[in-house]
Amino acid sequence: MKRYLTKDNLDKIFETYSSTLKTGVDKITSQKFFEIKNDEFDLIIEKSLSQEYKFTRWKKILLSNNREAYIPTVRDRILIELLHRILRKKYRVRYENRHRIISVLKSKLETHIDRHVFRLDIKKFFPSIPHTLLLNRIKKQSLLSPFEYYLVKEYLKNKNGKGVPIGLSLSSLLAEIYLEEFDRKMRRIDQRICCYYRYVDDIVLIFNGNLQTEEIKYIEKTIFRIFKEFGLKNNNEKYMNVLFQSKSNLFNSFSYLGYKFIKVRGQLKLFIDDKKLIKILNKIDLTFNDYATNKNLDLLKERLRFLVRRNTMLKKNPHLERNLNLIKRPRLVNYGTVENYKSVCSEQWKGLDRYLQSRFYNVLQNKIKKDRQLKNEIFSLSFARSVDSGAINLFHKKDNDYFRRKILLLNKSMSLAQLMRFNRKELEKTYKEILKI
């Protein structure tokens, strides 16, 4: 790590995250840190190399799902992000791609072969990872230098012997390193496994054929033994096993990664999972409820345009090169409801469009009757049409003036003079905050 631990690399990390860095318990903001960053970088380098660096106690916050997340100080966050990149390069960690997983599962379940599906979830995943077993695994592989290993140990001390903090990139990486052997053992449970995936704490196994009761019991016993070996527990509330028969009139289904897989009369269809669907409907309701209050038609149309289409954003994340320097590698990111659920069947999108249209008539009935152009414009905002046409909001191709014009149109309380002081990240952030979706 000594070769990577330079002021230049630390500064690139700070520059990348400066607009999103939150204030820790030391109450030093990103702006304040900028004024003292050279001294702080010196401290990080000196204390890390001498194995004397101590992570400050992290600020604890409660997320909407009642999970605890942690906010480090600005200085700690910079070191954590650099350490994350070093470990990822050394361990060659590859995160599973959600869209690829769904595509493979779809292809396996569409065939005319009986498949038995086991759906599991690791209970309180991040908080339950044992430090001793994790550190033993890291030590056994001998990939880290002494002070890199020291920093990982210090990072874990905030959790007092068990668990990794939620909300930090290094925690996700350490979890993947810890479960590498777990995944290997799960794949070897039985020779009839045709597919195994783990996406963070969500697990699915697909077996060939129609398993008998005794076989199911044996597989369950083996699975839970592996869980126990790694100090983990299965979330019984989310556990299920279901048989997908190739020729049957029975209705079978299971949910995984936001999708509901349904097979009836031998035909497989993918829908948005019920909980995720409710969130989408709530976003639509929020949009129309806000319009009923503010009567801003431009804001309504912009929000819906954002909601029903794919959106693009250009990210420049620091990447560790062979010459040991961090460079900002641009990456195009697609996001939005249509992008998140691009394997969903057309029936689902048409159903969402019907819900949209009903809200249009309830809120804009008089305006639509009087203005044909508005009617056409409103009803062109459609999930199904966006999917068929591939409509995309190409935000990464828009210049700063575009965002300034949009913000002024959607929020009358802001001024051009104020927006002229904003950089690109601040303009994009302000635009998204106005949309509230």
Side-chain angles (χ1 to χ4, degrees):
M1 183 173 174
K2 186 176 181 180
R3 298 170 296 171
Y4 313 109
L5 197 54
T6 65
K7 278 190 174 185
D8 186 50
N9 283 346
L10 292 170
D11 196 35
K12 285 174 182 173
I13 294 281
F14 173 64
E15 187 184 339
T16 300
Y17 294 99
S18 59
S19 63
T20 58
L21 288 172
K22 294 182 173 61
T23 307
V25 294
D26 63 355
K27 298 184 179 179
I28 294 179
T29 64
S30 179
Q31 292 79 9
K32 176 63 177 174
F33 187 89
F34 178 79
E35 297 170 9
I36 58 174
K37 66 178 182 178
N38 283 324
D39 291 338
E40 293 291 296
F41 293 159
D42 285 334
L43 186 147
I44 290 173
I45 294 169
E46 179 188 343
K47 294 290 186 181
S48 296
L49 294 177
S50 62
Q51 298 184 31
E52 295 176 352
Y53 191 91
K54 303 292 181 185
F55 289 97
T56 308
R57 178 175 54 86
W58 295 324
K59 185 192 290 185
K60 191 185 295 185
I61 60 171
L62 194 65
L63 302 176
S64 57
N65 56 7
N66 288 324
R67 290 185 178 182
E68 289 181 346
Y70 297 86
I71 300 174
T73 63
V74 174
R75 182 179 65 207
D76 284 351
R77 172 74 186 280
I78 292 167
L79 180 57
I80 288 167
E81 291 298 338
L82 181 62
L83 190 59
H84 164 252
R85 281 159 178 77
I86 292 166
L87 264 66
R88 185 170 182 182
K89 191 173 185 68
K90 288 194 172 187
Y91 283 91
R92 298 180 181 178
V93 173
R94 294 273 190 273
Y95 295 107
E96 292 286 2
N97 181 284
R98 176 175 168 269
H99 294 311
R100 180 181 173 277
I101 293 173
I102 297 301
S103 177
V104 172
L105 295 180
K106 186 171 179 283
S107 67
K108 297 292 184 184
L109 296 172
E110 277 177 335
T111 58
H112 298 296
I113 300 172
D114 290 351
R115 308 281 197 190
H116 211 114
V117 179
F118 288 75
R119 166 75 172 86
L120 305 110
D121 180 86
I122 302 174
K123 188 175 183 179
K124 296 181 179 178
F125 176 39
F126 277 19
S128 64
I129 294 175
H131 291 180
T132 303
L133 295 178
L134 170 60
L135 290 171
N136 284 345
R137 173 158 182 76
I138 290 172
K139 204 168 187 178
K140 185 178 178 181
Q141 290 181 304
S142 302
L143 293 177
L144 302 186
S145 67
F147 61 90
E148 287 167 354
Y149 180 74
Y150 164 81
L151 286 172
V152 172
K153 283 179 65 178
E154 287 298 314
Y155 174 79
L156 295 172
K157 278 185 179 178
N158 263 307
K159 291 295 291 174
N160 298 321
K162 193 174 186 181
V164 293
I166 295 173
L168 299 173
S169 59
L170 184 57
S171 294
S172 300
L173 183 69
L174 291 173
E176 291 299 314
I177 292 170
Y178 179 64
L179 290 189
E180 185 181 8
E181 182 63 23
F182 172 89
D183 291 335
R184 194 175 292 118
K185 290 191 175 187
M186 291 289 282
R187 289 189 182 97
R188 295 173 180 171
I189 285 175
D190 192 280
Q191 62 182 6
R192 285 169 294 181
I193 287 181
C194 75
C195 187
Y196 164 83
Y197 281 110
R198 178 183 58 79
Y199 190 85
V200 190
D201 55 358
D202 291 318
I203 298 171
V204 65
L205 298 98
I206 300 181
F207 291 78
N208 292 324
N210 185 346
L211 301 177
Q212 302 304 307
T213 303
E214 289 303 313
E215 293 173 315
I216 292 172
K217 287 181 179 179
Y218 168 77
I219 289 168
E220 288 177 339
K221 185 178 178 181
T222 306
I223 287 172
F224 300 141
R225 176 179 55 76
I226 295 172
F227 269 65
K228 188 176 180 180
E229 180 184 340
F230 284 81
L232 305 173
K233 291 182 180 180
N234 176 53
N235 186 344
N236 294 326
E237 293 179 3
K238 294 186 178 181
Y239 171 73
M240 68 179 301
N241 73 78
V242 59
L243 174 64
F244 272 49
Q245 291 180 297
S246 58
K247 297 177 181 179
S248 171
N249 290 327
L250 295 175
F251 176 92
N252 291 309
S253 71
F254 74 97
S255 294
Y256 189 63
L257 301 187
Y259 284 87
K260 181 182 278 189
F261 293 76
I262 297 176
K263 195 163 190 177
V264 60
R265 291 189 288 276
Q267 186 177 7
L268 179 74
K269 289 186 178 181
L270 270 64
F271 291 85
I272 300 172
D273 178 66
D274 293 344
K275 289 182 179 179
K276 302 295 184 183
L277 182 60
I278 289 171
K279 287 184 178 181
I280 295 169
L281 295 176
N282 286 341
K283 286 181 180 179
I284 294 172
D285 289 341
L286 172 66
T287 299
F288 281 98
N289 292 341
D290 272 5
Y291 172 76
T293 303
N294 59 44
K295 301 300 180 183
N296 188 334
L297 187 58
D298 291 316
L299 180 57
L300 173 66
K301 290 188 288 186
E302 189 72 11
R303 282 178 168 175
L304 293 174
R305 196 175 292 112
F306 186 88
L307 189 61
V308 305
R309 293 182 179 178
R310 286 186 177 91
N311 305 291
T312 65
M313 178 173 60
L314 196 64
K315 276 194 171 183
K316 293 184 179 180
N317 289 333
H319 174 76
L320 206 54
E321 290 286 277
R322 288 185 179 179
N323 62 6
L324 313 181
N325 289 325
L326 282 172
I327 63 163
K328 287 192 175 181
R329 178 181 288 178
R331 181 169 63 95
L332 192 63
V333 178
N334 296 322
Y335 63 100
T337 304
V338 170
E339 174 65 20
N340 289 342
Y341 300 100
K342 53 188 177 185
S343 294
V344 159
C345 63
S346 59
E347 293 172 40
Q348 182 95 76
W349 300 125
K350 290 174 182 176
L352 280 170
D353 282 345
R354 285 193 292 273
Y355 186 78
L356 257 182
Q357 289 167 13
S358 68
R359 294 307 313 264
F360 281 136
Y361 275 118
N362 288 339
V363 177
L364 295 170
Q365 186 174 12
N366 293 332
K367 283 182 177 291
I368 289 172
K369 284 180 179 178
K370 296 175 184 177
D371 191 336
R372 179 175 289 276
Q373 183 179 347
L374 175 62
K375 180 179 179 179
N376 293 337
E377 187 179 357
I378 288 294
F379 285 103
S380 69
L381 300 174
S382 152
F383 287 100
R385 287 193 184 95
S386 294
V387 171
D388 292 340
S389 66
I392 303 177
N393 293 318
L394 299 171
F395 292 122
H396 72 284
K397 289 189 175 182
K398 306 299 184 183
D399 59 19
N400 291 356
D401 284 340
Y402 169 86
F403 284 102
R404 292 188 187 105
R405 288 194 301 272
K406 282 290 184 183
I407 292 168
L408 291 173
L409 180 67
L410 305 176
N411 186 350
K412 308 296 183 184
S413 66
M414 301 198 78
S415 67
L416 180 58
Q418 183 182 0
L419 295 176
M420 290 300 291
R421 295 193 294 270
F422 284 14
N423 61 29
R424 176 62 179 230
K425 282 187 180 179
E426 291 168 330
L427 288 170
E428 288 184 359
K429 184 181 178 183
T430 304
Y431 172 75
K432 289 176 185 176
E433 285 174 350
I434 292 171
L435 296 183
K436 294 181 183 177
I437 54 176

